[in-house]
Amino acid sequence: MPANAAGGESQATEATATFDSVKEYYGKVLAKSSDLKTNACCTSEALPERVKHALANVHDDVLMKYYGCGIVAPDELQGKRVLDLGCGSGRDVYVLAQFVGESGECIGVDMTDAQLEVARGTEEWHRAKFGFSKKNTRFLTGYIEKLDELELEPASIDVIVSNCVLNLSPDKPRVLEQVYRLLKPGGEFFFSDVYASRRVPKALREDEVLWGECISGALYWNDFERLAQRVGFADPRLIKTAPITVNNKQLEKKVAHIQFASATYRLFKLPDLLEPDCEDYGQAVIYLGTIESHPESWALDDHHTMHKGKVFAVCGNTWHMLHGTRFREHFEFIGSFNTHYGIFEGCGRTSKLFAGTGAGGGASGGSCC
């Protein structure tokens, strides 16, 4: 057998073992959220009012099986087609289904039958609860690395979300490639996950509990940003981050030399428009105050909060993220790409996930203006 064939077979075997382990962990070991052994798959940030209201309409059986590390509820979803990767029992699907409305659709994909049984078993209950004449949700059994095997057309999804699932995948590059393939031009991947301050060693990656708890499968933050850029998401934008303490003395000892953080990123599919760095073209935008629930100001990411009516200078990438996406109608755009002034002043290249800890320094390919 050729060496490359043997290597491919070995990788496939390892991936299958990982899939089986995750299915076992989330299908049998964890019966409810409180069975988690660490705080990695827990959402610590305060819920926005619109999310609180939406969660009040979600069935208790779904809520008790929630495993996530962030809030994946981007703005401006009315009438959109949304896909949730690793949807589990459907908590985020049913929250987002209310935001897309009856004219939109929210699709969940998961590989764990026990979780999907709960999600599918409450579809009619949720339709009635939302007051819709027809259901706007759909749940597919499948692997997030193999979305091309499902009934999903390329460039057919407006927004893809995921909540603490990418770290569980044995083939993260493949997942991002699938996400990019499915998104429409101008579409967005909005997701929360766990990241590490350094590369996690093989011995820890083989620990089934640490992997199942969303710890040892975490990507080193710089590897993630480079991977996203290589796939086509040229300028990953960090929205929020929070440290993860593991909160389990036995497991903490195993990973004491590594720091972990939960983070929410947004990646836009804007082929041939975004540049590797924040370039200055003398442009600016004015927020019109028309995004629902944000009448006074709206934040694109952790360093772009735009106030209604105020001129806000932006780099070329930020201009495209607003002008070439579903947010366009909410802004007035000033300037063009006729003159280039160099790197946008204040552009940074270090990670903010581990700022001040001495653990995440170094160059980052991402842009920051």
Side-chain angles (χ1 to χ4, degrees):
M1 180 183 295
N4 61 344
E9 183 176 324
S10 175
Q11 291 175 353
T13 300
E14 290 179 10
T16 299
T18 300
F19 291 146
D20 291 343
S21 176
V22 173
K23 285 181 183 178
E24 176 78 12
Y25 205 76
Y26 284 86
K28 297 180 181 179
V29 175
L30 301 179
K32 53 188 180 301
S33 304
S34 58
D35 292 334
L36 288 164
K37 297 175 176 61
T38 73
N39 63 357
C41 291
C42 301
T43 303
S44 59
E45 62 181 290
L47 295 171
E49 285 301 316
R50 69 188 186 107
V51 176
K52 283 184 183 179
H53 178 75
L55 282 171
N57 295 325
V58 178
H59 198 287
D60 287 344
D61 289 351
V62 171
L63 293 175
M64 71 179 291
K65 286 182 172 291
Y66 168 69
Y67 312 103
C69 59
I71 300 171
V72 289
D75 297 300
E76 290 299 294
L77 296 181
Q78 181 67 37
K80 303 301 183 185
R81 197 168 188 233
V82 177
L83 175 66
D84 182 8
L85 305 184
C87 65
S89 62
R91 178 212 192 232
D92 289 332
V93 168
Y94 287 124
V95 168
L96 298 174
Q98 297 172 70
F99 297 152
V100 304
E102 199 167 353
S103 62
E105 182 183 28
C106 197
I107 306 165
V109 174
D110 205 279
M111 65 179 181
T112 307
D113 291 333
Q115 292 274 59
L116 288 174
E117 183 178 354
V118 175
R120 290 170 176 148
T122 57
E123 276 194 288
E124 178 55 29
W125 186 93
H126 284 99
R127 181 206 62 76
K129 185 72 172 179
F130 302 159
F132 294 163
S133 61
K134 60 180 181 179
K135 72 181 183 73
N136 67 342
T137 56
R138 184 157 53 107
F139 294 95
L140 305 177
T141 303
Y143 298 93
I144 61 175
E145 301 82 1
K146 303 176 182 179
L147 297 173
D148 52 336
E149 296 180 0
L150 303 179
E151 298 176 4
L152 298 169
E153 294 295 321
S156 65
I157 306 295
D158 295 291
V159 177
I160 296 178
V161 301
S162 183
N163 200 339
C164 212
V165 172
L166 185 60
N167 69 86
L168 295 171
S169 171
D171 191 351
K172 297 169 179 62
R174 179 65 173 165
V175 176
L176 287 178
E177 289 168 2
Q178 292 289 304
V179 167
Y180 194 86
R181 184 183 67 87
L182 286 178
L183 282 175
K184 296 177 181 178
E188 177 184 16
F189 185 28
F190 187 105
F191 69 108
S192 294
D193 219 286
V194 178
Y195 297 90
S197 62
R198 61 175 73 178
R199 293 178 182 129
V200 180
K202 187 174 187 292
L204 293 180
R205 295 201 307 270
E206 292 176 345
D207 187 308
E208 291 189 0
V209 173
L210 282 173
W211 190 281
E213 291 284 326
C214 303
I215 296 292
S216 63
L219 276 172
Y220 166 47
W221 67 269
N222 210 11
D223 286 342
F224 160 70
E225 293 204 355
R226 282 194 291 260
L227 170 60
Q229 291 159 354
R230 187 165 67 245
V231 168
F233 297 112
D235 188 354
R237 292 296 177 94
L238 179 64
I239 301 173
K240 291 182 179 179
T241 183
I244 290 175
T245 58
V246 180
N247 202 32
N248 180 304
K249 290 184 178 180
Q250 183 178 357
L251 296 178
E252 279 177 0
K253 291 180 180 179
K254 293 184 177 183
V255 297
H257 60 297
I258 306 173
Q259 291 181 313
F260 295 91
S262 64
T264 302
Y265 274 95
R266 67 189 330 158
L267 311 179
F268 289 100
K269 181 179 179 177
L270 293 164
D272 303 321
L273 292 178
L274 300 185
E275 300 184 77
D277 294 297
C278 290
E279 304 293 346
D280 187 356
Y281 294 92
Q283 296 166 312
V285 298
I286 300 175
Y287 175 51
L288 302 178
T290 51
I291 294 178
E292 188 176 0
S293 300
H294 301 281
E296 298 302 324
S297 65
W298 181 79
L300 173 69
D301 51 41
D302 67 346
H303 57 290
H304 287 87
T305 297
M306 291 153 278
H307 297 275
K308 179 182 177 181
K310 184 176 181 179
V311 176
F312 188 91
V314 296
C315 68
N317 282 356
T318 299
W319 193 93
H320 282 305
M321 290 176 186
L322 300 174
H323 188 271
T325 67
R326 66 189 189 281
F327 300 114
R328 180 174 182 172
E329 64 184 88
H330 302 288
F331 291 87
E332 180 182 339
F333 296 88
I334 301 170
S336 67
F337 285 86
N338 292 336
T339 305
H340 178 231
Y341 298 95
I343 289 287
F344 197 97
E345 184 177 355
C347 179
R349 293 178 176 82
T350 56
S351 170
K352 295 184 179 182
L353 271 72
F354 304 97
T357 66
S364 163
S367 302
C368 176
C369 59

